[in-house]
Amino acid sequence: MLSDIIDRIKLPFRKDKELYLSLYSIIGFYPRDIALYKLALMHKSMFKRNAKGKPVNNERLEFLGDAVLDAAVGDIVYRHFPGKREGFLTNTRSKLVQRDTLNRLAQEMGITQLVLSNGRSMSHNSYMGGNAFEALVGAIYLDRGYDACMRFMKKRILAQMINIDKVAYKEVNFKSKLIEWTQKNRVKLEFRQVSQKKDKNGSPVFVYRVEIEGVQGCEANGYSKKESQQMASKRTLDKLRKESAFLDSVFAAKTDRTKMEEEPVENVPSTDAADDFIVPAATAAGPSAEPRAATAARRGGARERRSPMYVGRGRDAADGTRGDDAPQTASADKAAAADPEFDLSHITAREQSREEIIAAAEAAAFDGAEG
């Protein structure tokens, strides 16, 4: 039946019949302008040029299809999840139109098999099918309009191939998931580039490794930095879930780091006051006591002066007798002669009797009366 319909369509070339049949099974209707769909399936590696010398490939249609997909899928997600907030809607739309999703759709629908390339690009470009899917949407938009794009997404994609609810609540950004886990557990995360090389076709290949608290996780390679980091994150998350020894080593490294960060960088200053200005009682009466007192008297400064209870020790204010520290008292007398304000000879550390205290007071009063 379908073959009969195709036979009745006037085709510019007989070979387009096979392309019509393939496109009908993919998009669900017949193309009007087959040239648009041919262009959508033309990869840039073919190096085709038109009569004016301009490149002929699907990049421009890919740009247009990307914009149309965002609008169409945004409309569908908005109507499918009433009441959901903007962040949820944006995240769901991103999952539906991201390269990985479109690449799988292109593979399952047979779009990838129709892409024309030089063969080498097909072997290493993992997003060729997804890019062609976007270009195909751009071709549909130019050929049939926006409503046709909406019908294609609703009836052909979301109704038959994608469960929008599962996509909405499924986390597919493994790098973001790993970053969120490390932030919650306050561990350091680093994506380290191991190498950058080229495959046999000359295409760049990136190798990245995940390191958590300096502990090596998993590494992966990809044809872009994002692809490599995503795969390395996925493998590291699986390792954290399945290998308890790896998880323990990460937190052990974190413990060592935080312990080192808590250690002081320098010794805390002491709060003990210097007490070198006090002469011990055992040495105050020794041979070195007189030179110290004489030095203090010569300098005339209070910095080298000794406590009164030691300077006047051994002198009896009542009877004028000297005890066992007479040398120190003599030094004090010399200091008093040099500086009257330094005269501490009336101070004694010996306990006085009541009679001695009264006698000293009367003598002082009598001397004052005579003056």
Side-chain angles (χ1 to χ4, degrees):
M1 178 65 180
L2 182 59
S3 299
D4 295 337
I5 296 175
I6 295 297
D7 289 335
R8 290 196 296 269
I9 298 177
K10 294 181 179 180
L11 301 178
F13 300 102
R14 191 67 181 176
K15 61 182 180 180
D16 288 340
K17 177 180 178 180
E18 184 178 349
L19 180 58
Y20 263 88
L21 291 172
S22 299
L23 289 174
Y24 181 85
S25 65
I26 292 172
I27 61 179
F29 54 84
Y30 302 112
R32 292 175 178 171
D33 187 354
I34 192 65
L36 290 172
Y37 298 88
K38 287 182 176 180
L39 186 61
L41 299 172
M42 182 75 68
H43 190 258
K44 64 180 180 180
S45 62
M46 294 297 291
F47 300 108
K48 293 277 186 177
R49 293 184 179 274
N50 60 16
K52 297 182 179 180
K54 295 183 179 181
V56 177
N57 55 56
N58 62 3
E59 287 187 333
R60 285 172 52 83
L61 282 176
E62 178 189 337
F63 164 78
L64 179 61
D66 178 64
V68 175
L69 266 178
D70 277 346
V73 174
D75 189 338
I76 294 170
V77 170
Y78 178 85
R79 298 177 189 278
H80 189 83
F81 297 102
K84 289 294 185 180
R85 294 185 176 181
E86 182 268 343
F88 175 87
L89 300 178
T90 300
N91 191 31
T92 302
R93 182 185 62 184
S94 298
K95 294 174 185 178
L96 288 170
V97 301
Q98 68 178 350
R99 285 292 186 271
D100 289 331
T101 303
L102 299 182
N103 194 64
R104 289 192 60 186
L105 285 172
Q107 186 67 33
E108 294 293 329
M109 298 172 69
I111 298 175
T112 305
Q113 290 78 358
L114 295 178
V115 176
L116 298 177
S117 69
N118 61 8
R120 292 187 305 170
S121 299
M122 182 72 73
S123 63
H124 74 267
N125 192 334
S126 59
Y127 296 132
M128 181 182 295
N131 296 339
F133 183 97
E134 290 182 334
L136 189 62
V137 172
I140 295 173
Y141 175 76
L142 294 177
D143 186 41
R144 292 291 189 100
Y146 180 77
D147 290 340
C149 293
M150 286 291 293
R151 288 194 300 270
F152 169 67
M153 291 301 299
K154 283 182 177 180
K155 297 181 179 180
R156 185 69 180 93
I157 304 301
L158 298 178
Q160 300 179 24
M161 304 196 69
I162 292 181
N163 186 324
I164 190 172
D165 295 294
K166 286 186 177 180
V167 172
Y169 295 102
K170 180 181 179 181
E171 179 58 60
V172 295
N173 192 334
F174 301 108
K175 182 177 178 181
S176 297
K177 197 169 185 179
L178 180 60
I179 292 174
E180 182 181 358
W181 181 85
T182 56
Q183 289 177 345
K184 286 182 178 179
N185 290 276
R186 298 181 180 179
V187 294
K188 289 186 175 181
L189 172 66
E190 182 178 1
F191 292 91
R192 187 180 298 277
Q193 182 173 331
V194 178
S195 65
Q196 180 179 346
K197 52 189 179 182
K198 292 186 177 181
D199 64 4
K200 60 183 180 180
N201 297 320
S203 301
V205 178
F206 301 91
V207 181
Y208 270 84
R209 180 176 64 233
V210 173
E211 294 185 3
I212 308 177
E213 288 292 348
V215 180
Q216 292 187 6
C218 299
E219 63 182 50
N221 62 326
Y223 290 100
S224 67
K225 295 180 180 179
K226 180 179 179 180
E227 181 182 359
S228 175
Q229 292 176 2
Q230 279 284 352
M231 184 55 63
S233 299
K234 180 180 183 300
R235 293 175 180 175
T236 302
L237 285 169
D238 291 336
K239 189 173 183 179
L240 286 168
R241 290 176 59 249
K242 298 177 181 179
E243 300 181 18
S244 58
F246 175 60
L247 185 64
D248 292 341
S249 63
V250 168
F251 283 100
K254 175 192 174 183
T255 301
D256 292 340
R257 173 180 61 83
T258 54
K259 185 186 300 181
M260 293 179 62
E261 290 178 352
E262 291 173 358
E263 292 179 356
V265 296
E266 60 182 12
N267 293 331
V268 179
S270 174
T271 58
D272 295 337
D275 57 358
D276 53 354
F277 58 86
I278 297 178
V279 180
T283 60
S288 60
E290 184 174 352
R292 290 197 187 96
T295 302
R298 285 195 302 271
R299 291 179 180 176
R303 183 167 53 88
E304 293 294 329
R305 297 173 184 174
R306 299 295 180 253
S307 176
M309 66 177 291
Y310 290 105
V311 175
R313 186 173 181 179
R315 183 174 185 84
D316 192 330
D319 55 12
T321 59
R322 299 177 183 272
D324 55 355
D325 47 346
Q328 182 174 342
T329 307
S331 299
D333 292 340
K334 293 179 181 179
D339 186 358
E341 293 182 0
F342 193 74
D343 185 10
L344 305 175
S345 59
H346 64 286
I347 299 177
T348 177
R350 185 178 63 84
E351 184 178 359
Q352 295 179 335
S353 63
R354 183 172 180 276
E355 290 77 9
E356 289 174 339
I357 294 173
I358 295 174
E362 290 177 349
F366 180 74
D367 292 340
E370 288 184 349

